[in-house]
Amino acid sequence: MLSVSVSARLRGGGLAEGLLTRARDEARAAGLRGVVIPVRPTRKARYPLVPMADYARWRRPDGTPFDPWLATHAALGAELLAPCDRSLVISQPVDRWEEITGHPLPGPARHLVPGALAPLEVSADGEGVYAEPNFWVFHPAT
């Protein structure tokens, strides 16, 4: 699976869990061992300076993953595999990033962008590169 998205108004009703269960069932029916999914943790954007590997190790007092989306996968029996620090890389001129983000990027630096999981890296040549991390999970088809 490359992308699973649930509209904000439909969240909390078990739709995501149903989609993940269906994917596992389909994998089993096809004779596969399971499903590998690159997960975009839902709360990671609140901590863009924390590396994904560190973020994924955070736990709630009960020992479950801190991030709700990682916790959902774990509760469904997924194995949390490993981070991928550059799962999606987008390179654009600074003026395009300013248009997208709605605020100026006045010079080379690591800029925090609302909703981003990591800083936007702006170089002296006027290019901005965003490398979004994710976390890989494996849902066995058993």
Side-chain angles (χ1 to χ4, degrees):
M1 298 180 76
L2 292 180
S3 178
V4 174
S5 299
V6 176
S7 171
R9 65 182 177 80
L10 298 176
R11 291 182 190 147
L15 186 56
E17 293 85 345
L19 289 170
L20 293 170
T21 299
R22 172 89 184 258
R24 266 198 335 254
D25 292 346
E26 294 288 332
R28 183 174 40 257
L32 302 173
R33 293 184 313 162
V35 180
V36 176
I37 304 171
V39 173
R40 187 182 198 272
T42 55
R43 285 195 188 144
K44 174 67 174 84
R46 296 181 188 178
Y47 309 94
L49 300 177
V50 176
M52 181 62 82
D54 295 340
Y55 177 81
R57 282 193 291 270
W58 291 357
R59 294 290 178 265
R60 299 176 189 159
D62 66 2
T64 60
F66 168 77
D67 186 84
W69 194 214
L70 289 176
T72 295
H73 286 275
L76 291 173
E79 178 184 352
L80 303 182
L81 298 175
C84 176
D85 292 329
R86 297 176 65 82
S87 66
L88 171 68
V89 179
I90 303 169
S91 181
Q92 294 286 316
V94 170
D95 59 346
R96 177 69 176 127
W97 283 112
E98 289 175 336
E99 179 184 329
I100 292 167
T101 63
H103 64 84
L105 302 167
R110 296 176 73 210
H111 294 273
L112 299 181
V113 176
L117 304 191
L120 170 66
E121 303 276 348
V122 174
S123 63
D125 68 359
E127 193 73 8
V129 177
Y130 175 65
E132 182 164 287
N134 70 21
F135 201 89
W136 289 90
V137 303
F138 174 71
H139 283 267
T142 56

